Amino acid sequence: MITKEIQRGNHVSLAEELLELAVTTAGEAGRMLVDKRPVEGPAVVHTKSSPTDVVTQMDQAAERLIIERIEAVRPRDAFLGEEGGSSTGSSGVRWIIDPIDGTVNYLYDLPDWAVSIAAEVDGETVAGAIVMPRRGETYTARRGGGARLHTDQGVRELRCNTGVSLDTALVATGFGYSSERRARQAQVLTHVLPRVRDIRRGGSCCVDMCSLAAGRVDAYYERGVQAWDIAAGSLIVEEAGGQVGGLNGAPAGPEFTIAAAPALFEALHDLLAPLDPARDS
């Protein structure tokens, strides 16, 4: 028992150390993205899944900054970054990085974009930080330590809304970049919209998941999100009392992701699953 408690104490201490580094680094990246954003808008350097799925020079610069700052402190860690900054490590710690979640929002100078950094230890996410510079908000979570929102006004504990029925739920979602996937998602939406209070589409998975944790929306679902989109956000939602998963017991991931308080999660899942929302055509 003593050995287990010592191990647990070490684990918590490491998670706190990783969270502090994530917060500091995400904050620096966010400030850089605001301060150095070209007045005429960032240059698009290439596209990914479609002509509308863009990468800007600022995405790349932010990811480089994040990796450089973390490597300077923890040179043996591994990385998984959206813009290709991936590497193996030997410490058992892996950082999952989205330098700008909501790149199209950033491109158009809309405020809803975020820097997301999560840290895994032996494959389990133990710390996550999401910084929204234009909102002046930082969301944090440590495994077993709760989720918090930090602003100039102070710090508050986060809790997902509970006791919400499906028909009164405000549900956030997002759309893919390929025209075929979007058409299918629109079909699904026509079945969901009459069954809920309303739909919100903000353009950033990270922002949507933090909004869920903060009680600003009641649920979230989307097809096509990647590990870097949801790593920090999932931990924040879970530590705020929410549930995150896929369809029919599968884990959350590119196939499909749902998040809500547990009872609403089940109701939304049961609405979505018969619609075959993981199909693209």
Side-chain angles (χ1 to χ4, degrees), residues 189-196:
L189 190 61
T190 61
H191 293 275
V192 174
L193 188 54
R195 299 285 304 279
V196 300

Side-chain angles (χ1 to χ4, degrees), residues 11-268:
H11 185 77
V12 170
S13 177
L14 175 59
E16 290 175 343
E17 175 190 329
L18 299 176
L19 179 57
E20 182 178 351
L21 183 55
V23 170
T24 301
T25 307
E28 182 180 355
R31 289 190 296 274
M32 183 273 288
L33 287 165
V34 172
D35 293 343
K36 295 190 176 182
R37 183 185 183 278
V39 174
E40 68 278 9
V44 175
V45 293
H46 66 87
T47 60
K48 293 186 285 188
S49 62
S50 82
T52 58
D53 186 5
V54 298
V55 176
T56 73
Q57 88 270 29
M58 299 304 291
D59 291 85
Q60 296 174 334
E63 185 162 295
R64 284 195 303 270
L65 183 152
I66 291 166
I67 293 174
E68 287 171 3
R69 296 294 185 270
I70 294 174
E71 279 187 332
V73 179
R74 301 187 54 86
R76 296 173 53 239
D77 291 354
F79 292 88
L80 174 64
E82 180 178 12
E83 307 311 333
S86 301
S87 64
T88 58
S90 58
S91 66
V93 173
R94 182 173 74 154
W95 298 87
I96 304 176
I97 301 162
D98 194 339
I100 308 178
D101 186 68
T103 296
V104 173
N105 285 348
Y106 181 77
L107 181 67
Y108 280 79
D109 202 21
L110 294 168
D112 281 351
W113 54 271
V115 180
S116 175
I117 302 177
E120 291 179 340
V121 176
D122 298 328
E124 179 185 43
T125 304
V126 301
I130 294 176
V131 172
M132 301 175 196
R134 292 284 302 279
R135 284 191 179 189
E137 297 179 344
T138 297
Y139 294 78
T140 65
R142 175 178 61 77
R143 179 72 63 187
R148 294 170 178 83
L149 167 59
H150 310 251
T151 68
D152 289 342
Q153 286 71 49
V155 181
R156 73 175 176 95
E157 300 285 332
L158 297 176
R159 298 302 297 174
C160 295
N161 294 333
T162 58
V164 179
S165 61
L166 184 63
D167 63 333
T168 62
L170 185 61
V171 180
T173 192
F175 305 122
Y177 288 102
S178 74
S179 58
E180 185 178 57
R181 176 170 292 183
R182 286 179 171 182
R184 176 63 187 147
Q185 288 171 323
Q187 292 173 349
V188 171
L189 190 61
T190 61
H191 293 275
V192 174
L193 188 54
R195 299 285 304 279
V196 300
R197 182 190 297 275
D198 208 346
I199 293 289
R200 292 292 179 268
R201 194 280 199 261
S204 166
C205 170
C206 288
V207 174
D208 286 343
M209 296 192 94
C210 288
S211 294
L212 170 59
R216 295 171 179 167
V217 299
D218 301 306
Y220 163 78
Y221 77 88
E222 189 168 352
R223 170 159 166 73
V225 293
Q226 304 296 323
W228 44 79
D229 297 311
I230 62 172
S234 292
L235 181 62
I236 290 166
V237 169
E238 290 167 354
E239 288 298 319
Q243 180 177 346
V244 182
L247 294 170
N248 303 312
E255 192 75 7
F256 208 76
T257 297
I258 305 171
L264 182 57
F265 179 99
E266 294 300 326
L268 181 58

